[in-house]
Amino acid sequence: MSQTVDRALSILPLLAEGPASLEQVATRLDVHKSTALRLLRTLHDHGLVYRQQDQRYRLGARLFALAQQAVEALDIRGIAHPHLAALNERTGHTVHLAVYEQGEVVYIDKVESRYPVRMYSRIGRPVAITVAAVAKLLLADLPEPERRAVAEGLDYPRYTPRSTPDAGAFLAELARVREQGWASDLGGHEESINCVGAPLHGPDGRVCAAMSVSAPNVVVTAEELLRLRPQILRTAEAIGAELSGAAPAAHHPATKGAT
Amino acid sequence: MSQTVDRALSILPLLAEGPASLEQVATRLDVHKSTALRLLRTLHDHGLVYRQQDQRYRLGARLFALAQQAVEALDIRGIAHPHLAALNERTGHTVHLAVYEQGEVVYIDKVESRYPVRMYSRIGRPVAITVAAVAKLLLADLPEPERRAVAEGLDYPRYTPRSTPDAGAFLAELARVREQGWASDLGGHEESINCVGAPLHGPDGRVCAAMSVSAPNVVVTAEELLRLRPQILRTAEAIGAELSGAAPAAHHPATKGAT
DNA sequence: AATGGCCGTTGCGCATGATGCAACGCACTG
DNA sequence: CAGTGCGTTGCATCATGCGCAACGGCCATT
């Protein structure tokens, strides 16, 4: 692995937190100022980093453009979206789509609730990996050694009393999820929010993404939400079928095609 | 500028075009395979690049996560304020900045008029959502189902005879606003007060805030106020560019003062 | 107005780390 | 079963990225 590039790339997550000065970057990277400057300049030349008038650095327009292209390149998203929208239409609740990539679970799509109730997460933010239904689904499908390695490398923040407490409990939960083919999170992240999720199987049979329906219990109780399970599973299967090349059932015009 | 980093970063736009094999990357970079491999591995370790089953590389979801995190951390007010102050300086009128959150539109910044006018707005307070220019701008950008849901759940108080009367009229107005890219409120909240507003686009291209210039018609007529529109739009675009990290990019320190 | 500290910037000599090469392994093909 | 194409590895060479030290602008302090 290339040390120079490694350092340069380490700057990006750092700047994602907020603007930082040259000195701050140098300190956090543990390199000399002049080194940090050179790296930042290179990033700047590529437009990944932006320099504001106060000379501090932020992420730049190019990075946003690339990010946009990155999600658009994910076929799953384009294929799944109409299905997710339809599910949202029928249930009225917020629907999420997430993928797993190298130890991270990332939301890549979301269809908002019709209810004008604020939902906790925005797409893109790394998921609360130890509790979210989608995270459980994605991790549950990993081969056993990797699953354990990931589980043991995680923090287990106690968002609520119902949050997953530790690696042991998490692995047990993953086993259950794997077994039953769906997952739920009942107030494990935010006390009043529940969600139910299902896995999306790719052509190779492995779980390539996960979806979930979330709602605060001021709108529906956990029991009512869980009653949507069959519908969610059916949607997940429909998406999976289409991913595997099955003809898309003639729903709405499935415009947003992927190639 | 660092050559190694430069090469590594050149890979990203290349992959944005579509998945590519190691050999293709090496060729396009004009470096040896082994060099390209090392660079790709480093990018991969940082999650910026993902390796699909067929061993070809594409952009990683982490890029999206980074961008999204940066968007959330954006200090819209801090970036916008100098521009708003400058606009206030030039026009003399009250300037507002607002965002949409949890079904409400709230002011997050305000630069007072140089004229002795009283206006019922305060930072942190909700906006008269059915009539204010900023509210129209923010709601006009919501996805259609949510927009309709919100519009239908609102009250439509008749502050004045020119207030938006009902959901139908409001949705029609939102469509117009969305189309034209700016909004006005001519005496819809307080009989004698007019305002003109423009949307602020965030890095993801969506409207993340809205600004407006307001003045009572004892100071300027509605026509005169509307004549400021180009100036307001220009300001909004400048803020948007800065929010997005668009790079005019002066390397050398000498650049000082407004452009 | 003068001073000192802070922070970004520059040029340079040194050694570290990035480079290309050549050889290997693997999968697919004729 | 050779032959081809592509990804991977270890290594010797030297280009390149590194830290240092010194400079200069800006701001707050006296």
Side-chain angles (χ1 to χ4, degrees):
Chain A
M1 186 170 75
S2 164
Q3 185 187 77
T4 317
V5 177
D6 184 42
R7 285 173 170 166
L9 298 183
S10 303
I11 294 177
L12 298 178
L14 198 151
L15 292 185
E17 296 170 15
S21 69
L22 169 63
E23 181 111 345
Q24 291 172 318
V25 171
T27 306
R28 299 236 350 220
L29 282 192
D30 202 33
V31 297
H32 194 269
K33 282 189 299 179
S34 61
T35 304
L37 180 64
R38 191 158 12 83
L39 299 176
L40 279 164
R41 280 209 178 132
T42 311
L43 288 165
H44 181 103
D45 288 347
H46 285 259
L48 298 183
V49 144
Y50 170 75
R51 189 156 204 197
Q52 8 186 56
Q53 304 50 354
D54 65 357
Q55 307 219 309
R56 293 191 305 165
Y57 295 89
R58 290 189 359 228
L59 295 185
R62 198 68 202 275
L63 190 129
F64 295 111
L66 285 170
Q68 198 61 36
Q69 290 177 287
V71 286
E72 278 165 13
L74 297 175
D75 301 357
I76 322 127
R77 190 172 189 253
I79 292 175
H81 191 87
H83 296 270
L84 302 183
L87 185 62
N88 165 265
E89 188 68 25
R90 282 199 299 279
T91 64
H93 304 304
T94 300
V95 180
H96 278 107
L97 179 68
V99 294
Y100 171 82
E101 219 169 80
Q102 303 180 220
E104 262 190 10
V105 174
V106 182
Y107 288 121
I108 57 170
D109 200 7
K110 164 167 141 174
V111 186
E112 281 284 355
S113 163
R114 284 205 299 273
Y115 304 102
V117 180
R118 168 68 162 182
M119 199 48 81
Y120 50 98
S121 87
R122 289 195 43 153
I123 56 174
R125 160 115 50 92
V127 176
I129 200 168
T130 59
V131 295
V134 288
K136 295 175 188 171
L137 289 159
L138 291 164
L139 295 182
D141 186 65
L142 292 179
E144 141 63 19
E146 192 180 348
R147 202 187 329 156
R148 207 176 44 234
V150 172
E152 281 165 3
L154 290 174
D155 283 338
Y156 292 84
R158 308 299 301 257
Y159 304 108
T160 77
R162 308 169 84 175
S163 297
T164 311
D166 54 45
F170 191 50
L171 284 167
E173 173 73 356
L174 291 187
R176 183 163 49 252
V177 165
R178 190 184 173 84
E179 185 65 28
Q180 68 190 8
W182 57 276
S184 66
D185 161 29
L186 304 178
H189 186 221
E190 284 187 35
E191 194 65 70
S192 67
I193 295 189
N194 303 312
C195 70
V196 187
L200 269 53
H201 295 273
D204 57 358
R206 299 222 15 217
V207 173
C208 65
M211 57 178 287
S212 72
V213 171
S214 322
N217 51 26
V218 296
V219 176
V220 290
T221 64
E223 291 73 38
E224 289 171 316
L225 188 64
L226 286 168
R227 222 169 289 142
L228 296 176
R229 206 177 75 210
Q231 234 179 115
I232 298 170
L233 285 167
R234 242 179 293 127
T235 303
E237 278 159 28
I239 297 170
E242 198 172 329
L243 279 174
S244 307
H251 272 316
H252 298 279
T255 39
K256 244 341 189 193
T259 317
Chain B
M1 187 170 73
S2 165
Q3 185 187 77
T4 317
V5 176
D6 184 41
R7 283 172 171 166
L9 298 183
S10 304
I11 294 177
L12 298 178
L14 198 152
L15 292 185
E17 296 169 15
S21 68
L22 170 63
E23 180 111 346
Q24 290 172 316
V25 171
T27 307
R28 301 257 323 242
L29 283 191
D30 201 33
V31 296
H32 194 269
K33 282 189 300 179
S34 60
T35 304
L37 180 64
R38 192 157 13 83
L39 298 177
L40 279 165
R41 281 226 247 257
T42 311
L43 288 165
H44 181 91
D45 287 347
H46 286 259
L48 299 186
V49 143
Y50 178 77
R51 192 154 202 199
Q52 11 186 64
Q53 292 84 328
D54 64 357
Q55 304 219 312
R56 292 191 307 164
Y57 296 89
R58 60 167 175 75
L59 295 182
R62 183 99 217 281
L63 261 177
F64 185 63
L66 280 174
Q68 213 63 34
Q69 193 188 339
V71 169
E72 284 179 41
L74 257 194
D75 176 17
I76 297 174
R77 188 191 167 195
I79 291 171
H81 190 85
H83 296 268
L84 303 183
L87 186 62
N88 165 268
E89 189 67 28
R90 283 200 298 279
T91 64
H93 304 304
T94 303
V95 181
H96 281 113
L97 180 67
V99 295
Y100 174 76
E101 218 168 70
Q102 291 167 260
E104 288 197 322
V105 174
V106 289
Y107 291 116
I108 59 170
D109 199 11
K110 177 178 181 180
V111 188
E112 291 285 353
S113 167
R114 83 164 66 105
Y115 307 100
V117 297
R118 57 194 181 86
M119 213 163 287
Y120 298 117
S121 65
R122 252 178 54 195
I123 296 177
R125 281 303 171 81
V127 175
I129 200 169
T130 59
V131 293
V134 287
K136 294 175 188 171
L137 289 159
L138 291 164
L139 295 183
D141 187 65
L142 293 180
E144 139 59 24
E146 194 180 348
R147 201 188 326 157
R148 205 175 49 229
V150 171
E152 284 165 1
L154 290 175
D155 284 337
Y156 292 84
R158 308 301 300 259
Y159 303 107
T160 77
R162 306 169 84 176
S163 298
T164 310
D166 53 45
F170 193 48
L171 283 168
E173 172 73 354
L174 292 187
R176 183 163 48 250
V177 165
R178 191 183 171 87
E179 184 67 28
Q180 70 190 6
W182 58 276
S184 65
D185 161 29
L186 304 178
H189 186 219
E190 292 181 52
E191 194 65 69
S192 67
I193 294 190
N194 303 311
C195 70
V196 187
L200 268 51
H201 293 271
D204 54 2
R206 298 213 22 205
V207 173
C208 67
M211 58 177 285
S212 71
V213 171
S214 319
N217 49 29
V218 297
V219 175
V220 288
T221 65
E223 291 73 40
E224 288 171 316
L225 189 62
L226 284 169
R227 224 170 287 141
L228 296 177
R229 205 178 76 210
Q231 229 178 116
I232 297 170
L233 284 167
R234 241 180 293 126
T235 304
E237 275 159 31
I239 297 170
E242 204 173 323
L243 285 173
S244 310
H251 246 187
H252 290 276
T255 329
K256 192 195 167 171
T259 323

